[in-house]
């Protein structure tokens, strides 16, 4: 799993039918420096990262929120649980939001 | 598996039910020089502390950390701390 910032939504009308009713978000993974900044620790200047992962979301995360994204079986297991009755784990997805972050913190390593 | 250093933790209330009660550790993956900028979220059942060097298993390896055996397909884990490393030659 990774933790990242929701950058926006992804819509598509032409798609595999089992994906009907699933929302997709664009999530940018947090790097260590992003996490240090979010924890109020000194960090290098932000480097624009162009990494984006499209993930399925049934928890209702919105842009600007931090989310935990799972991959593979865990993503489908997460969907099955949150969207019971769906055809999961037969969903053709490999990444899904499994938690919306309330708080995250990284600490300074003393043995630096 | 990857070697990593535990950096911190994530707390969440709105989440998949089977993550309830699971500790989500933030682990910076290491290369031969030490921690890199890449951070993964791994389920921690060994109560690793910040600064601990750990091994992370992925996929079915992670599921086996939580519930070993064939029928653990729906265990929600794709990364789990499988070992806390004591030392390194």
């Amino acid at each position: 799993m990774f933790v990242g910032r929701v950058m926006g939504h992804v819509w598509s009308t032409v798609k595999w039918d089992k994906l009907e009713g699933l929302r997709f978000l664009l999530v940018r993974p947090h790097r260590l420096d992003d996490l240090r900044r979010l924890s109020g620790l000194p960090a290098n200047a932000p480097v624009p990262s162009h990494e984006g992962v499209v993930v399925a979301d049934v928890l209702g995360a919105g842009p600007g929120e931090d989310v935990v994204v799972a991959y593979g079986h865990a993503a489908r297991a997460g969907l099955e649980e949150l969207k019971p009755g769906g055809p999961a784990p037969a969903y053709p997805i490999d990444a899904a939001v499994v938690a919306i972050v309330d708080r995250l913190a990284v600490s300074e390593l003393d043995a630096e | 598996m990857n070697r990593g250093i535990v950096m911190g933790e994530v707390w969440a209330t709105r989440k998949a039910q089977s993550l309830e009660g699971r500790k989500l550790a933030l682990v910076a993956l290491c290369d031969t020089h030490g921690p890199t900028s890449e951070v993964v979220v791994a389920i921690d059942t060994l109560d690793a502390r910040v600064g601990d060097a750990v091994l992370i298993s992925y996929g079915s390896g992670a599921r086996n950390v939580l519930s070993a055996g064939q029928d653990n397909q729906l265990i929600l884990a794709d990364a789990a701390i499988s070992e806390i490393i004591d030392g390194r030659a």
Side-chain angles (χ1 to χ4, degrees):
Chain A
M1 293 176 284
F2 71 90
V3 62
R5 173 69 47 94
V6 176
M7 306 303 286
H9 296 275
V10 174
W11 290 279
S12 75
T13 43
V14 181
K15 57 194 171 188
W16 202 67
D17 56 10
K18 289 282 190 309
L19 294 180
E20 219 43 59
L22 257 188
R23 282 158 29 99
F24 288 97
L25 300 174
L26 183 65
V27 178
R28 185 167 62 82
H30 282 314
R31 296 265 160 230
L32 184 55
D33 270 329
D34 301 314
L35 296 172
R36 287 173 64 89
R37 222 171 287 115
L38 286 170
S39 309
L41 293 178
N44 307 324
V47 169
S49 142
H50 308 298
E51 275 184 278
V53 184
V54 177
V55 306
D57 171 47
V58 289
L59 279 175
E65 288 193 292
D66 287 333
V67 291
V68 175
V69 174
Y71 280 120
H73 256 297
R76 290 186 292 275
L79 273 184
E80 163 129 342
E81 207 184 81
L82 296 167
K83 201 172 182 314
Y91 275 110
I93 61 107
D94 67 358
V97 173
V98 288
I100 298 177
V101 174
D102 292 337
R103 191 165 70 86
L104 62 84
V106 289
S107 331
E108 204 64 89
L109 283 193
D110 29 41
E112 206 38 78
Chain B
M1 292 179 303
N2 276 129
R3 200 173 78 87
I5 307 282
V6 177
M7 291 293 186
E9 199 174 333
V10 176
W11 295 271
T13 39
R14 289 174 293 169
K15 59 192 170 187
Q17 222 278 321
S18 61
L19 283 181
E20 212 48 58
R22 295 286 186 205
K23 180 183 168 198
L24 298 177
L26 287 164
V27 182
L29 297 184
C30 291
D31 60 19
T32 48
H33 304 301
T36 65
S37 65
E38 194 180 346
V39 178
V40 298
V41 175
I43 291 182
D44 174 22
T45 58
L46 303 176
D47 212 8
R49 280 183 304 282
V50 169
D52 280 350
V54 294
L55 275 191
I56 300 176
S57 300
Y58 295 98
S60 49
R63 294 200 299 275
N64 282 331
V65 170
L66 298 176
S67 150
Q70 268 306 333
D71 52 3
N72 60 9
Q73 301 291 326
L74 278 185
I75 293 284
L76 203 161
D78 68 353
I81 293 178
S82 47
E83 273 171 54
I84 297 179
I85 302 174
D86 300 331
R88 193 184 65 159

